[in-house]
Amino acid sequence: MSINRLFTGCALVAIVAFHGCSSDDTPKRQPVTGTVTQNGNPVAGAIVAFTPDAGGLPASGTTDASGVYKLTTKVSGDGAVVGSYKITIAKYDTKLPKPEENTEATPAADPYDITNEYPTGYDEMEESEIAASIAKNLLPAKYAAAETSGLTANVVEGENTFDFSL
C-alpha cells in the first residue's frame, strides 16, 4: 500500500470521526423582540432581561428611542432559548453628580505610600452612598426583580414578540 493511499485513508477516517464531534450542543435561540412603554410612552434605555424558569441561558436587550428591544445572549447569536421566563425591566439614571469646586486630592509624598491614599475629609461611607445613588432605577422598583415583576413570557419556535406596558 502506498504512502499516499495510507495518508488519504487516515485523513478520511479523521474527517468522518471529527465531523460527528463538531455538532453544536448550544440550544437554538429564537428571535425575541418587543416594546416597553410606561403610561403609553415608549421607554428608551431600559434593560429587559429574560431569566429562564428552569435555569439555563438568560437573554437581555436594551430598548431604543422607540422603546423597542431585541434579545441576545452572551453566546453568539440573537434571541432566547425556547422555554418559559420571568422578566425584569429596569432603567438606570447614571448621571454623575456635579463635582464640587477645588476638591482635588493632594498627592502622597511617596507614590508607593498608601497611608495618605485619600484626601483630607474623605468619608468612605458617604462615597459608597453617592455611588449607590448614581445608578438610580427610574422605573417602578417592582419591575427590577423577577420575584416581584409579575412579568412572564413563553418563548416558542419562530418569531416571538412580547410587549410590556408598565
Side-chain angles (χ1 to χ4, degrees), residues 18 20 40 48 60 73 77 86 88 99 112-113 122 140 155:
F18 285 120
V48 181
S60 64
T73 62
K86 287 186 174 60
T88 58
Y112 299 103
D113 178 9
Y122 178 81
V155 175

Side-chain angles (χ1 to χ4, degrees), residues 88-126:
T88 58
I89 303 174
K91 177 181 177 177
Y92 294 101
D93 178 13
T94 56
K95 294 178 187 168
L96 297 174
K98 248 185 172 179
E100 296 177 22
E101 296 293 322
N102 300 323
T103 58
E104 292 184 30
T106 52
D110 179 358
Y112 299 103
D113 178 9
I114 62 169
T115 59
N116 189 22
E117 186 174 347
Y118 299 112
T120 306
Y122 178 81
D123 182 352
E124 189 173 353
M125 193 62 145
E126 181 182 339

Side-chain angles (χ1 to χ4, degrees), residues 148-165:
T148 60
S149 77
L151 303 174
T152 60
N154 189 33
V155 175
V156 296
E157 287 192 32
E159 297 286 327
N160 293 270
T161 301
F162 302 104
D163 296 331
F164 301 105
S165 178

Side-chain angles (χ1 to χ4, degrees), residues 19-37:
H19 179 69
C21 297
S22 67
S23 67
D24 186 11
D25 291 338
T26 305
K28 185 177 177 195
R29 288 164 300 281
Q30 304 301 316
V32 178
T33 61
T35 304
V36 177
T37 58

Side-chain angles (χ1 to χ4, degrees), residues 132-153:
S133 70
I134 289 173
K136 178 182 168 191
N137 185 3
L138 300 176
L139 298 175
K142 77 176 198 171
Y143 296 114
E147 300 79 31
T148 60
S149 77
L151 303 174
T152 60

